[in-house]
Amino acid sequence: MTRIASGLERAFAEHGFAAPSVGHLRDAAGVSLRTLYNYTPSREEMVYAALEHRNRRYLEKVFGNLPADPGSALDAIFDRVGDWMRSETTRGCLFHAAVASAPQDDRLVDLLQSHKTEMARLATRAARLPGREVELTLIIEGLTQTWPLHGKTAVESAKKLGRMLLGSA
């Protein structure tokens, strides 16, 4: 299932949610159509599988094995978000794009909310800033949205904001 979800994630990240045909998604997953439908019996299930896979990868890459020092941990988080944007996507958050493509889909909205809530929880824990989930989400989301325009400058600005937040705690 991991290989299928990985291929689906790549296809949706590269081509959006509307453009890829089921044949394209099958090819991206590297399986037969029967196998694809066995694991993901609808296009919606394909999107959910891709996003759940992406969530696991993102959280591990951005929040795995962080330094113990809160300032160093925040810097590492912002550097890793920048690396993610450079290597994985240059168009912003795939979760937001999924919800924008199907705003009536409650499961997509729940996946988005769950992803962002867990991201905020991990960031506040690493930075030892309990109760500052909104502020850290704002910085990380701002970095995600401004990275396509400003690249490393956006990362450095996020680090400055993180230090200011730590200093005010």
Side-chain angles (χ1 to χ4, degrees):
M1 181 59 186
T2 299
R3 183 178 87 175
I4 293 170
S6 178
L8 293 170
E9 176 198 356
R10 249 186 342 273
F12 290 128
E14 290 173 16
H15 305 288
F17 292 97
S21 67
V22 173
H24 180 91
L25 294 171
R26 176 204 60 220
D27 292 346
V31 296
S32 69
L33 192 57
R34 181 178 181 168
T35 300
L36 179 62
Y37 276 121
N38 185 47
Y39 284 97
T40 54
S42 67
R43 186 179 186 88
E44 289 81 14
E45 289 296 326
M46 292 176 200
V47 172
Y48 305 147
L51 290 174
E52 289 164 356
H53 179 73
R54 190 170 189 91
N55 179 59
R56 285 188 299 277
R57 286 191 332 103
Y58 179 86
L59 294 178
E60 176 59 33
K61 179 168 177 129
V62 174
F63 298 101
N65 300 316
L66 288 168
D69 172 69
S72 298
L74 269 184
D75 283 352
I77 289 167
F78 300 140
D79 282 333
R80 292 173 184 185
V81 170
D83 289 344
W84 177 271
M85 294 302 297
R86 181 184 42 74
S87 65
E88 299 291 332
T89 182
T90 58
R91 297 184 196 119
C93 177
L94 195 62
F95 289 86
H96 284 293
V99 170
S101 74
Q104 74 290 349
D105 187 326
D106 291 336
R107 187 166 170 195
L108 283 180
V109 173
D110 289 345
L111 283 170
L112 168 67
Q113 188 169 30
S114 174
H115 172 70
K116 300 305 179 181
T117 299
E118 183 65 5
M119 179 190 72
R121 186 187 72 75
L122 292 170
T124 56
R125 185 172 67 182
R128 295 188 202 132
L129 288 170
R132 294 298 183 91
E133 291 84 2
V134 172
E135 292 90 339
L136 283 171
T137 299
L138 184 62
I139 296 170
I140 294 169
E141 289 296 292
L143 172 55
T144 300
Q145 294 304 312
T146 59
W147 193 92
L149 298 172
H150 300 288
K152 290 186 181 252
T153 303
V155 172
E156 294 308 313
S157 293
K159 288 179 180 181
K160 288 177 190 174
L161 291 169
R163 287 184 207 112
M164 289 169 52
L165 188 59
L166 281 170
S168 72

